[in-house]
């Protein structure tokens, strides 16, 4: 059956229209707090239940418990601190404030607690390093000195150019039911698909009813595929290489933390809330640089027998010239000189040069879609 929401029930923190109108008409009466794009995305994910059971930003007990034990204070597995930082509070505990991004009031927040924290401890416990070259560490070091905990109510959503592809947990659960899927494996991606991705997805799909591709849309770095390229490339792959009704796609907005093993568990929880029963954990999942071992994320899941979603550990695929197809290290007996590893960097270079990758690397239909964009990469 479709998995139960994390913590038992799907959170929904969206104000009714009438209440929203009243709050907005009184907005000058509330202390105003400016938030960045990442926190605005977190607000949406709290409000729509992607982060169930969270109803708001973490208070100090939950925050410390997540750092120390990778669990909320009530022992629910939770690995990434979802927090709101401020430089200097212009409000007090017990106040209600409005959270703004780019002039838009995003949410009302009930301030339960204002507390200080140790940035170095945050970085080392979540990212396993305090190296400022790590993007997650750099972000923590630039945060305000205070954290603010309390429940939120969503007033407005950020503009979403991919609204028609965006499904919330309440909607993905309906979709899986309509498709007749009882078991669903989710796959997170930030890339256009190559044949190695397809191999891993189909290996997982063999054991379940349906495959749920859930691309992460959000802040990208230079050289990444643009969001619309990823979506269109997957549509081409589904059309030509997947059985009808065996795979579906919906996007989610989320700011990557690059926290490696801890974030892999967080990604699984998000897809559990969407209704997935299984989650593909990739090589160096949510990693950056060489801060984490290639399969360290796999070991992390051993800490969570009560996670409520089954991780699927499928080894990286490569092409073996002797086997004559896509394989992995567990099933191919041949020496390395027969192996061709699919490098995302190498594929990007070929595409940028207008060169068609060999079919064992990328499906021609996928390449044609990518090539149809004047510039498929973020500049």
């Amino acid at each position: 059956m479709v998995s139960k929401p994390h913590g038992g029930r799907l959170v929904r923190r969206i104000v009714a229209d009438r209440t929203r109108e009243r709050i907005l008409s009184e907005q000058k009466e509330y202390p105003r707090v400016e938030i960045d794009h990442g926190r605005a995305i977190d607000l949406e994910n709290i409000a729509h239940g992607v982060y169930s059971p969270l109803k708001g930003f973490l208070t100090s007990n939950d925050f410390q418990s997540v750092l120390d034990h990778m669990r909320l204070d009530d022992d629910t597995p939770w690995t990434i601190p979802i927090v709101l930082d401020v430089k200097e509070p212009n409000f007090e505990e017990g106040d209600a404030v409005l959270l703004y991004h780019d002039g838009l009031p995003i949410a009302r927040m009930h301030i339960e607690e204002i507390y200080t924290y140790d940035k170095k401890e945050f970085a080392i416990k979540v990212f396993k390093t305090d190296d400022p070259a790590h993007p997650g560490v750099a972000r923590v070091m630039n945060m305000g000195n205070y954290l603010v905990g309390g429940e939120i109510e969503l007033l407005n959503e950020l503009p979403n150019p991919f609204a028609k592809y965006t499904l919330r947990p309440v909607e993905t659960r309906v979709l899986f039911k309509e498709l007749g899927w009882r078991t669903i494996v989710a796959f997170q991606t930030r890339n256009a698909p190559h044949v190695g991705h397809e191999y891993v997805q189909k290996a997982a799909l063999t054991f379940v009813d349906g495959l749920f591709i859930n691309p992460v849309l959000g802040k990208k770095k230079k050289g990444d595929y643009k969001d619309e390229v990823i979506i269109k490339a997957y549509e081409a792959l589904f059309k030509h290489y997947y059985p009808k009704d065996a795979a579906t796609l919906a996007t989610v907005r989320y700011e990557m933390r690059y926290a490696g093993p801890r974030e892999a568990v967080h990604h699984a929880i998000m897809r559990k809330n969407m209704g997935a029963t299984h989650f593909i954990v990739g090589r160096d999942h949510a990693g950056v640089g060489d801060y984490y071992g290639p399969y360290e994320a796999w070991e992390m899941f051993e800490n969570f027998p009560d996670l409520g979603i089954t991780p699927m550990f499928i080894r990286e695929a490569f092409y073996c010239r002797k086997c004559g197809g896509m394989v992995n290290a567990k099933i191919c007996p041949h020496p390395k000189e027969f192996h061709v590893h699919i490098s995302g960097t190498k594929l990007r270079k070929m595409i940028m040069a207008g060169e068609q990758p060999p079919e064992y690397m990328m499906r021609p239909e996928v390449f044609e879609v990518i090539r149809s964009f004047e510039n498929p990469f973020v500049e």
Side-chain angles (χ1 to χ4, degrees):
M1 286 297 286
V2 172
S3 66
K4 282 186 177 149
H6 201 51
R9 57 181 289 271
L10 203 58
V11 168
R12 185 172 163 81
R13 304 288 299 173
I14 299 161
V15 294
D17 288 347
R18 211 179 224 169
T19 311
R20 178 178 173 274
E21 283 164 23
R22 181 174 52 77
I23 294 168
L24 293 178
S25 71
E26 299 166 352
Q27 59 185 290
K28 287 192 173 74
E29 296 171 27
Y30 291 91
R32 179 182 179 128
V33 179
E34 295 291 338
I35 59 171
D36 64 12
H37 188 262
R39 270 12 72 213
I41 294 295
D42 281 343
L43 279 172
E44 281 190 11
N45 285 332
I46 294 167
H48 286 286
V50 179
Y51 291 171
S52 294
L54 301 194
K55 294 177 182 175
F57 291 107
L58 297 184
T59 53
S60 60
N61 283 356
D62 279 329
F63 172 71
Q64 201 59 49
S65 184
V66 169
L67 291 190
D68 295 342
H69 310 295
M70 297 185 287
R71 290 174 179 270
L72 298 173
D73 201 32
D74 67 2
D75 207 35
T76 303
W78 198 270
T79 51
I80 297 291
I82 304 298
V83 291
L84 177 62
D85 63 295
V86 293
K87 285 188 167 57
E88 199 67 52
N90 59 337
F91 47 81
E92 295 176 358
E93 289 177 359
D95 284 354
V97 304
L98 293 189
L99 306 178
Y100 285 78
H101 176 68
D102 272 357
L104 184 71
I106 304 289
R108 178 168 69 173
M109 180 174 178
H110 300 271
I111 307 299
E112 191 178 325
E113 190 179 6
I114 301 166
Y115 58 103
T116 55
Y117 65 109
D118 183 325
K119 291 182 182 182
K120 189 168 181 175
E121 180 195 21
F122 186 147
I124 287 170
K125 286 185 173 169
V126 174
F127 302 104
K128 295 183 69 180
T129 178
D130 60 355
D131 179 359
H134 185 297
V137 173
R139 210 204 135 257
V140 169
M141 295 307 173
N142 285 324
M143 281 166 60
N145 291 329
Y146 296 89
L147 297 180
V148 186
E151 296 187 0
I152 64 95
E153 301 161 289
L154 197 72
L155 298 168
N156 285 305
E157 308 217 349
L158 293 176
N160 182 1
F162 300 100
K164 75 172 186 170
Y165 294 101
T166 304
L167 293 181
R168 311 299 188 183
V170 70
E171 295 161 330
T172 50
R173 289 168 171 274
V174 169
L175 174 65
F176 300 153
K177 204 171 177 182
E178 284 176 354
L179 288 165
W181 296 353
R182 293 169 66 83
T183 51
I184 300 104
V185 64
F187 181 82
Q188 160 156 327
T189 186
R190 291 173 288 148
N191 286 301
H194 58 57
V195 176
H197 296 135
E198 185 185 340
Y199 171 89
V200 168
Q201 292 160 13
K202 285 182 171 173
L205 180 55
T206 308
F207 299 99
V208 295
D209 297 334
L211 170 71
F212 176 48
I213 304 289
N214 193 212
V216 169
L217 307 187
K219 199 173 172 186
K220 299 264 198 259
K221 53 187 189 297
K222 190 180 171 185
D224 283 351
Y225 287 100
K226 289 178 178 171
D227 291 334
E228 58 267 37
V229 175
I230 297 168
I231 292 166
K232 295 296 181 191
Y234 264 105
E235 286 180 339
L237 187 69
F238 285 179
K239 184 179 175 184
H240 295 283
Y241 296 100
Y242 277 87
K244 197 175 179 299
D245 296 338
T248 191
L249 175 146
T251 60
V252 64
R253 289 204 285 192
Y254 171 75
E255 183 185 66
M256 287 291 297
R257 271 67 173 181
Y258 301 103
R262 271 188 180 242
E263 193 165 9
V265 175
H266 184 64
H267 289 168
I269 291 169
M270 289 167 64
R271 277 54 186 218
K272 176 189 176 185
N273 282 326
M274 290 175 169
T277 53
H278 297 71
F279 181 68
I280 296 169
V281 185
R283 182 184 182 279
D284 193 23
H285 193 108
V288 64
D290 55 3
Y291 294 99
Y292 314 107
Y295 296 108
E296 203 177 324
W298 293 14
E299 294 158 24
M300 177 60 84
F301 280 84
E302 290 169 15
N303 297 304
F304 303 101
D306 53 343
L307 195 61
I309 183 169
T310 305
M312 295 185 92
F313 306 131
I314 300 165
R315 291 185 180 276
E316 181 189 22
F318 52 84
Y319 182 80
C320 173
R321 287 193 288 262
K322 191 88 168 163
C323 291
M326 295 301 292
V327 291
N328 66 43
K330 197 172 179 183
I331 59 174
C332 171
H334 304 120
K336 286 194 169 99
E337 59 261 32
F338 292 104
H339 300 168
V340 183
H341 287 269
I342 302 177
S343 151
T345 310
K346 189 178 172 185
L347 272 174
R348 281 185 184 86
K349 281 181 181 164
M350 291 176 87
I351 291 163
M352 280 174 176
E355 194 183 327
Q356 178 156 355
E359 282 199 35
Y360 63 77
M361 284 191 179
M362 181 173 270
R363 298 291 194 183
E365 293 86 351
V366 171
F367 172 69
E368 287 303 326
V369 164
I370 296 170
R371 197 171 67 165
S372 71
F373 288 85
E374 195 177 334
N375 185 359
F377 302 105
V378 174
E379 290 173 328

